[in-house]
């Protein structure tokens, strides 16, 4: 699974001068923790600098403001989800297994312990056009990849394939978030494998109804 390449080393001495790329990764890791814990509006650059063990001027050398820092994290999070979806689709030529792998890609991301999915799917800054654009990119790019497979396999028109693909992405996103967050009820009894199996089964029973030939 592709995940954000952020590193926050708790054992590293404070004040150590790092290469720019390594420092940026450290700042992004700290910011991710703060944003996930507090949300965008409640998080402060002071909190992020303190979490990273740097001064505010150092933080501002890399990111001119809180929004730019948030967008950098969001960009990496979106790239990760899209890469996971691409890898799932490329992992097999069996379309039933492709559906299951694509569904699982979203469950795996949502279940990752960084909690980065909250920035993508539960952002408190969705009215900001730049943030909205990043979030919509996940649906758009994942759906485009899935639509290409559907169109090739079913010979449906591009618009119909795209609508079905967006529906599959939406099913994966919403069900994965519900499964993760509804821990007090029946969802607590379902493992990730059981949950993805159920949703993948539902998705496959629907999508297989649009075959190009009777062989599929």
């Amino acid at each position: 699974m592709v995940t954000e390449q952020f590193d926050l080393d708790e054992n590293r001495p404070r004040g150590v001068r790092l290469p720019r790329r390594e420092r940026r990764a450290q700042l992004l890791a700290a910011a991710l923790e703060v944003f996930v814990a507090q949300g965008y509006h409640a998080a402060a650059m002071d909190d992020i600098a303190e979490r990273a063990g740097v001064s505010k001027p150092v933080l501002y050398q890399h990111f001119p403001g809180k929004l730019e820092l948030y967008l950098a994290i969001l960009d990496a999070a979106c790239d990760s989800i899209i890469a996971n979806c691409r890898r799932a689709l490329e992992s097999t030529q069996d379309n039933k297994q492709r559906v299951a792998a694509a569904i699982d890609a979203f469950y795996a991301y949502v279940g990752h312990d960084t909690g980065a999915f909250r920035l993508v799917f539960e952002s408190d800054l969705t009215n900001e056009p730049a943030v909205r654009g990043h979030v919509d990119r996940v649906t758009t790019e994942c759906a485009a990849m899935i639509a290409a497979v559907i169109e090739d396999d079913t010979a449906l028109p591009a618009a119909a394939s795209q609508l079905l693909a967006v529906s599959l992405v939406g099913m994966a996103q919403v069900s994965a978030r519900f499964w993760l967050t509804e821990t007090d009820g029946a969802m607590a009894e379902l493992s990730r494998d059981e949950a993805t199996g159920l949703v993948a089964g539902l998705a496959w029973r629907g999508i297989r109804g649009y075959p190009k030939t009777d062989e599929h």
Side-chain angles (χ1 to χ4, degrees):
M1 173 185 169
V2 177
T3 57
E4 299 76 18
Q5 300 301 309
F6 303 153
D7 177 28
L8 189 60
D9 188 347
E10 299 284 359
N11 298 316
R12 189 189 302 279
R14 291 179 176 242
V16 173
R17 187 173 182 84
L18 300 177
R20 184 172 182 82
R21 177 179 292 183
E22 191 173 345
R23 177 66 78 191
R24 178 182 171 88
Q26 178 199 32
L27 296 175
L28 288 171
L32 174 60
E33 290 185 9
V34 174
F35 283 133
V36 168
Q38 300 181 22
Y40 177 83
H41 294 293
M45 294 294 270
D46 284 328
D47 299 329
I48 295 167
E50 180 179 356
R51 182 71 187 93
V54 302
S55 64
K56 278 181 66 177
V58 169
L59 180 57
Y60 280 112
Q61 284 174 8
H62 293 264
F63 302 98
K66 187 168 71 166
L67 179 59
E68 289 78 11
L69 179 53
Y70 188 85
L71 290 174
I73 298 172
L74 191 59
D75 197 41
C78 292
D79 285 346
S80 183
I81 301 171
I82 292 165
N84 288 346
C85 186
R86 180 179 295 108
R87 289 178 59 179
L89 294 174
E90 293 174 350
S91 66
T92 177
Q93 294 299 309
D94 183 293
N95 284 332
K96 182 177 182 179
Q97 293 180 19
R98 272 178 169 159
V99 168
I103 296 291
D104 187 65
F106 284 92
Y107 274 75
Y109 190 83
V110 166
H112 196 265
D113 59 9
T114 64
F117 82 94
R118 298 187 184 280
L119 274 65
V120 182
F121 301 134
E122 299 175 7
S123 174
D124 57 352
L125 199 62
T126 52
N127 290 331
E128 169 62 44
V131 173
R132 186 72 258 162
H134 279 66
V135 173
D136 288 344
R137 183 166 69 87
V138 171
T139 298
T140 300
E141 294 194 23
C142 288
M145 290 185 283
I146 295 171
V149 174
I150 293 174
E151 186 174 0
D152 181 65
D153 189 61
T154 65
L156 284 170
S161 298
Q162 183 180 17
L163 182 60
L164 290 173
V166 169
S167 299
L168 286 174
V169 171
M171 181 187 299
Q173 288 182 12
V174 174
S175 65
R177 288 160 53 200
F178 183 81
W179 166 77
L180 181 71
T181 57
E182 295 295 318
T183 57
D184 295 333
M187 291 303 104
E189 301 174 7
L190 287 177
S191 68
R192 180 179 129 193
D193 286 345
E194 290 171 330
T196 57
L198 285 169
V199 177
L202 174 63
W204 175 244
R205 286 182 180 89
I207 202 67
R208 71 181 298 187
Y210 300 93
K212 181 166 32 179
T213 71
D214 291 336
E215 297 176 3
H216 298 291

